[in-house]
Amino acid sequence: MLVMPESAPQTLLAFDFGLKQIGVAYGQTLTNFASGLTTIKAHDGVPDWTVVQSVLTEWRPNLTLVGLPLNMDGSESELSARARKFARRLQGRFGVDVLMIDERLTSREARSLIREGQEESSRSQPSRNKRKGQDLTQIDHLAAALILKSWLESPELGQSP
């Protein structure tokens, strides 16, 4: 298990793997900051690797985290295996350190946070053009930020791909 040393601040990227898009978040250990960055489109779980490379080059993380989508009982699914494959490809293609982080409920929590933000926004600025549902483009990178935040709070939870 990889645990970052206390002495030097570290930069991190987290990926919320999905079949259609992959959320990306940035964070660092100095202030335990985590924030959603972007969403990378994917085709059946395969991203445009040049986009992944440009994100890694721009942010230069010391550690990369990938969400591990487990079933509620803790067992793995086909999506878990595909997320692990994505993590291994990140390691192999780009030579970055990668840890998997249990991501159960992060997408649900991200939807809840977005819904709360929309309710506050609609109370302060009602809009006829507001969609009734959540802004789905924000869910994946917010879920990646939640994955990153969970590692910042408990780095011992990280596991090898």
Short mmCIF file of all heavy atoms in Angstrom, two decimals, residues 78-113:
data_model
loop_
_atom_site.label_atom_id
_atom_site.label_comp_id
_atom_site.label_asym_id
_atom_site.label_seq_id
_atom_site.Cartn_x
_atom_site.Cartn_y
_atom_site.Cartn_z
N GLU A 78 -18.53 -6.59 -13.22
CA GLU A 78 -17.84 -6.41 -14.50
C GLU A 78 -17.27 -4.99 -14.59
O GLU A 78 -16.16 -4.78 -15.09
CB GLU A 78 -18.79 -6.67 -15.67
CG GLU A 78 -18.12 -6.49 -17.02
CD GLU A 78 -19.06 -6.64 -18.20
OE1 GLU A 78 -20.10 -7.32 -18.06
OE2 GLU A 78 -18.74 -6.07 -19.25
N LEU A 79 -18.01 -4.01 -14.09
CA LEU A 79 -17.54 -2.62 -14.12
C LEU A 79 -16.29 -2.46 -13.24
O LEU A 79 -15.39 -1.70 -13.58
CB LEU A 79 -18.65 -1.65 -13.70
CG LEU A 79 -18.40 -0.18 -14.00
CD1 LEU A 79 -18.12 0.07 -15.48
CD2 LEU A 79 -19.57 0.67 -13.53
N SER A 80 -16.23 -3.18 -12.12
CA SER A 80 -15.03 -3.15 -11.26
C SER A 80 -13.82 -3.64 -12.04
O SER A 80 -12.74 -3.03 -11.97
CB SER A 80 -15.21 -4.06 -10.03
OG SER A 80 -16.34 -3.74 -9.30
N ALA A 81 -13.98 -4.73 -12.77
CA ALA A 81 -12.88 -5.28 -13.56
C ALA A 81 -12.43 -4.30 -14.64
O ALA A 81 -11.23 -4.12 -14.88
CB ALA A 81 -13.29 -6.61 -14.20
N ARG A 82 -13.38 -3.60 -15.24
CA ARG A 82 -13.04 -2.62 -16.28
C ARG A 82 -12.35 -1.40 -15.69
O ARG A 82 -11.44 -0.84 -16.30
CB ARG A 82 -14.29 -2.24 -17.06
CG ARG A 82 -14.82 -3.51 -17.75
CD ARG A 82 -15.75 -3.33 -18.83
NE ARG A 82 -15.28 -2.53 -19.92
CZ ARG A 82 -16.05 -2.21 -20.93
NH1 ARG A 82 -17.29 -2.64 -20.98
NH2 ARG A 82 -15.60 -1.45 -21.90
N ALA A 83 -12.76 -0.99 -14.49
CA ALA A 83 -12.10 0.13 -13.81
C ALA A 83 -10.66 -0.26 -13.45
O ALA A 83 -9.74 0.54 -13.59
CB ALA A 83 -12.87 0.55 -12.57
N ARG A 84 -10.46 -1.50 -13.00
CA ARG A 84 -9.10 -1.97 -12.69
C ARG A 84 -8.24 -2.00 -13.96
O ARG A 84 -7.07 -1.62 -13.93
CB ARG A 84 -9.15 -3.37 -12.07
CG ARG A 84 -9.60 -3.38 -10.63
CD ARG A 84 -9.44 -4.77 -10.02
NE ARG A 84 -9.99 -4.84 -8.69
CZ ARG A 84 -9.37 -4.42 -7.59
NH1 ARG A 84 -8.18 -3.88 -7.66
NH2 ARG A 84 -9.96 -4.55 -6.41
N LYS A 85 -8.83 -2.40 -15.07
CA LYS A 85 -8.10 -2.43 -16.34
C LYS A 85 -7.70 -1.00 -16.74
O LYS A 85 -6.57 -0.77 -17.16
CB LYS A 85 -8.97 -3.06 -17.43
CG LYS A 85 -8.30 -3.20 -18.77
CD LYS A 85 -9.21 -3.91 -19.75
CE LYS A 85 -8.56 -4.08 -21.11
NZ LYS A 85 -9.45 -4.76 -22.06
N PHE A 86 -8.61 -0.05 -16.58
CA PHE A 86 -8.31 1.36 -16.86
C PHE A 86 -7.15 1.83 -15.98
O PHE A 86 -6.22 2.48 -16.46
CB PHE A 86 -9.57 2.21 -16.62
CG PHE A 86 -9.32 3.69 -16.65
CD1 PHE A 86 -9.15 4.36 -17.86
CD2 PHE A 86 -9.27 4.43 -15.48
CE1 PHE A 86 -8.92 5.73 -17.89
CE2 PHE A 86 -9.05 5.80 -15.50
CZ PHE A 86 -8.87 6.45 -16.71
N ALA A 87 -7.18 1.49 -14.70
CA ALA A 87 -6.11 1.88 -13.76
C ALA A 87 -4.77 1.29 -14.18
O ALA A 87 -3.74 1.98 -14.17
CB ALA A 87 -6.47 1.45 -12.34
N ARG A 88 -4.77 0.02 -14.57
CA ARG A 88 -3.52 -0.62 -15.01
C ARG A 88 -2.99 0.03 -16.29
O ARG A 88 -1.78 0.17 -16.48
CB ARG A 88 -3.71 -2.12 -15.20
CG ARG A 88 -3.86 -2.88 -13.88
CD ARG A 88 -3.81 -4.39 -14.08
NE ARG A 88 -4.83 -4.88 -14.99
CZ ARG A 88 -6.07 -5.25 -14.63
NH1 ARG A 88 -6.43 -5.19 -13.36
NH2 ARG A 88 -6.92 -5.71 -15.53
N ARG A 89 -3.90 0.43 -17.17
CA ARG A 89 -3.47 1.11 -18.40
C ARG A 89 -2.88 2.48 -18.08
O ARG A 89 -1.92 2.91 -18.73
CB ARG A 89 -4.64 1.24 -19.38
CG ARG A 89 -4.94 -0.08 -20.04
CD ARG A 89 -5.94 0.07 -21.14
NE ARG A 89 -6.06 -1.19 -21.86
CZ ARG A 89 -7.02 -1.44 -22.72
NH1 ARG A 89 -7.95 -0.54 -22.97
NH2 ARG A 89 -7.07 -2.60 -23.33
N LEU A 90 -3.46 3.19 -17.11
CA LEU A 90 -2.86 4.47 -16.69
C LEU A 90 -1.42 4.25 -16.22
O LEU A 90 -0.51 4.99 -16.60
CB LEU A 90 -3.66 5.09 -15.53
CG LEU A 90 -4.92 5.85 -15.84
CD1 LEU A 90 -5.62 6.26 -14.55
CD2 LEU A 90 -4.63 7.07 -16.70
N GLN A 91 -1.24 3.21 -15.40
CA GLN A 91 0.10 2.88 -14.90
C GLN A 91 1.05 2.53 -16.04
O GLN A 91 2.16 3.05 -16.12
CB GLN A 91 0.05 1.67 -13.96
CG GLN A 91 -0.20 1.99 -12.54
CD GLN A 91 -0.18 0.73 -11.68
OE1 GLN A 91 -0.62 -0.35 -12.09
NE2 GLN A 91 0.29 0.88 -10.46
N GLY A 92 0.59 1.66 -16.92
CA GLY A 92 1.44 1.17 -18.00
C GLY A 92 1.77 2.22 -19.05
O GLY A 92 2.92 2.35 -19.46
N ARG A 93 0.78 2.97 -19.48
CA ARG A 93 1.00 3.96 -20.55
C ARG A 93 1.78 5.17 -20.08
O ARG A 93 2.56 5.74 -20.83
CB ARG A 93 -0.35 4.46 -21.10
CG ARG A 93 -1.03 3.51 -22.03
CD ARG A 93 -2.36 4.11 -22.47
NE ARG A 93 -3.09 3.18 -23.28
CZ ARG A 93 -3.38 3.40 -24.56
NH1 ARG A 93 -3.01 4.50 -25.15
NH2 ARG A 93 -4.06 2.49 -25.23
N PHE A 94 1.50 5.62 -18.84
CA PHE A 94 2.03 6.91 -18.41
C PHE A 94 2.99 6.82 -17.23
O PHE A 94 3.54 7.84 -16.80
CB PHE A 94 0.86 7.86 -18.07
CG PHE A 94 -0.12 7.98 -19.20
CD1 PHE A 94 -1.39 7.42 -19.09
CD2 PHE A 94 0.22 8.60 -20.39
CE1 PHE A 94 -2.31 7.52 -20.14
CE2 PHE A 94 -0.68 8.69 -21.44
CZ PHE A 94 -1.94 8.15 -21.32
N GLY A 95 3.19 5.63 -16.70
CA GLY A 95 4.14 5.44 -15.61
C GLY A 95 3.77 6.18 -14.33
O GLY A 95 4.65 6.59 -13.58
N VAL A 96 2.47 6.36 -14.09
CA VAL A 96 2.03 7.05 -12.87
C VAL A 96 1.69 6.02 -11.79
O VAL A 96 1.32 4.88 -12.09
CB VAL A 96 0.80 7.96 -13.13
CG1 VAL A 96 1.15 9.09 -14.08
CG2 VAL A 96 -0.37 7.16 -13.69
N ASP A 97 1.87 6.42 -10.54
CA ASP A 97 1.43 5.59 -9.42
C ASP A 97 -0.08 5.65 -9.34
O ASP A 97 -0.66 6.74 -9.39
CB ASP A 97 2.03 6.08 -8.11
CG ASP A 97 3.53 5.83 -8.04
OD1 ASP A 97 3.99 4.81 -8.60
OD2 ASP A 97 4.23 6.64 -7.41
N VAL A 98 -0.73 4.50 -9.21
CA VAL A 98 -2.19 4.43 -9.20
C VAL A 98 -2.66 3.60 -8.01
O VAL A 98 -2.11 2.54 -7.72
CB VAL A 98 -2.75 3.80 -10.50
CG1 VAL A 98 -4.26 3.70 -10.45
CG2 VAL A 98 -2.30 4.59 -11.73
N LEU A 99 -3.68 4.10 -7.34
CA LEU A 99 -4.39 3.35 -6.31
C LEU A 99 -5.87 3.33 -6.64
O LEU A 99 -6.40 4.29 -7.20
CB LEU A 99 -4.21 4.01 -4.93
CG LEU A 99 -2.84 3.91 -4.27
CD1 LEU A 99 -2.83 4.66 -2.96
CD2 LEU A 99 -2.45 2.45 -4.05
N MET A 100 -6.52 2.24 -6.28
CA MET A 100 -7.97 2.11 -6.43
C MET A 100 -8.62 2.51 -5.11
O MET A 100 -8.11 2.17 -4.04
CB MET A 100 -8.35 0.67 -6.76
CG MET A 100 -7.69 0.07 -7.99
SD MET A 100 -8.18 0.85 -9.54
CE MET A 100 -9.91 0.46 -9.63
N ILE A 101 -9.75 3.21 -5.20
CA ILE A 101 -10.48 3.65 -4.01
C ILE A 101 -11.94 3.24 -4.15
O ILE A 101 -12.57 3.51 -5.17
CB ILE A 101 -10.42 5.20 -3.86
CG1 ILE A 101 -8.97 5.69 -3.82
CG2 ILE A 101 -11.19 5.66 -2.64
CD1 ILE A 101 -8.18 5.23 -2.64
N ASP A 102 -12.47 2.60 -3.12
CA ASP A 102 -13.89 2.21 -3.10
C ASP A 102 -14.74 3.45 -3.34
O ASP A 102 -14.62 4.45 -2.65
CB ASP A 102 -14.21 1.61 -1.72
CG ASP A 102 -15.66 1.17 -1.57
OD1 ASP A 102 -16.49 1.46 -2.46
OD2 ASP A 102 -15.95 0.53 -0.55
N GLU A 103 -15.56 3.39 -4.36
CA GLU A 103 -16.36 4.56 -4.71
C GLU A 103 -17.86 4.37 -4.49
O GLU A 103 -18.66 5.14 -5.01
CB GLU A 103 -16.12 4.95 -6.16
CG GLU A 103 -16.66 3.94 -7.15
CD GLU A 103 -16.79 4.51 -8.55
OE1 GLU A 103 -15.90 5.22 -9.00
OE2 GLU A 103 -17.82 4.22 -9.18
N ARG A 104 -18.24 3.36 -3.71
CA ARG A 104 -19.67 3.16 -3.49
C ARG A 104 -20.31 4.45 -3.01
O ARG A 104 -19.79 5.12 -2.13
CB ARG A 104 -19.90 2.06 -2.46
CG ARG A 104 -19.76 0.67 -3.05
CD ARG A 104 -19.93 -0.38 -2.01
NE ARG A 104 -18.69 -0.46 -1.23
CZ ARG A 104 -18.48 -1.37 -0.29
NH1 ARG A 104 -19.41 -2.24 0.01
NH2 ARG A 104 -17.34 -1.40 0.34
N LEU A 105 -21.41 4.77 -3.62
CA LEU A 105 -22.25 5.92 -3.27
C LEU A 105 -21.72 7.28 -3.70
O LEU A 105 -22.39 8.28 -3.49
CB LEU A 105 -22.56 5.95 -1.76
CG LEU A 105 -23.21 4.68 -1.19
CD1 LEU A 105 -23.42 4.84 0.30
CD2 LEU A 105 -24.52 4.37 -1.89
N THR A 106 -20.53 7.38 -4.33
CA THR A 106 -20.05 8.71 -4.71
C THR A 106 -20.93 9.35 -5.78
O THR A 106 -21.19 10.54 -5.71
CB THR A 106 -18.59 8.68 -5.19
OG1 THR A 106 -18.46 7.75 -6.26
CG2 THR A 106 -17.64 8.34 -4.07
N SER A 107 -21.39 8.59 -6.77
CA SER A 107 -22.25 9.18 -7.80
C SER A 107 -23.59 9.61 -7.20
O SER A 107 -24.12 10.66 -7.55
CB SER A 107 -22.49 8.20 -8.95
OG SER A 107 -21.27 7.99 -9.65
N ARG A 108 -24.11 8.81 -6.28
CA ARG A 108 -25.36 9.17 -5.60
C ARG A 108 -25.16 10.45 -4.78
O ARG A 108 -25.98 11.36 -4.81
CB ARG A 108 -25.83 8.03 -4.70
CG ARG A 108 -27.16 8.33 -4.02
CD ARG A 108 -27.64 7.18 -3.19
NE ARG A 108 -27.92 6.04 -4.07
CZ ARG A 108 -28.12 4.81 -3.65
NH1 ARG A 108 -28.07 4.52 -2.37
NH2 ARG A 108 -28.40 3.84 -4.49
N GLU A 109 -24.03 10.55 -4.07
CA GLU A 109 -23.74 11.74 -3.28
C GLU A 109 -23.55 12.95 -4.19
O GLU A 109 -24.01 14.05 -3.88
CB GLU A 109 -22.50 11.53 -2.42
CG GLU A 109 -22.22 12.69 -1.48
CD GLU A 109 -21.04 12.45 -0.55
OE1 GLU A 109 -20.53 11.31 -0.48
OE2 GLU A 109 -20.62 13.41 0.10
N ALA A 110 -22.89 12.76 -5.34
CA ALA A 110 -22.69 13.85 -6.29
C ALA A 110 -24.04 14.36 -6.81
O ALA A 110 -24.26 15.57 -6.87
CB ALA A 110 -21.82 13.38 -7.46
N ARG A 111 -24.95 13.45 -7.15
CA ARG A 111 -26.29 13.86 -7.60
C ARG A 111 -27.01 14.66 -6.52
O ARG A 111 -27.65 15.66 -6.78
CB ARG A 111 -27.13 12.64 -7.98
CG ARG A 111 -26.80 12.05 -9.31
CD ARG A 111 -27.79 10.93 -9.69
NE ARG A 111 -27.28 10.17 -10.78
CZ ARG A 111 -26.56 9.05 -10.67
NH1 ARG A 111 -26.27 8.56 -9.49
NH2 ARG A 111 -26.12 8.43 -11.74
N SER A 112 -26.88 14.20 -5.27
CA SER A 112 -27.52 14.88 -4.16
C SER A 112 -26.96 16.30 -3.99
O SER A 112 -27.71 17.25 -3.79
CB SER A 112 -27.31 14.07 -2.87
OG SER A 112 -27.85 14.75 -1.77
N LEU A 113 -25.64 16.45 -4.08
CA LEU A 113 -25.02 17.76 -3.95
C LEU A 113 -25.46 18.69 -5.08
O LEU A 113 -25.71 19.88 -4.85
CB LEU A 113 -23.50 17.64 -3.92
CG LEU A 113 -22.91 17.00 -2.67
CD1 LEU A 113 -21.42 16.71 -2.87
CD2 LEU A 113 -23.13 17.88 -1.45
#
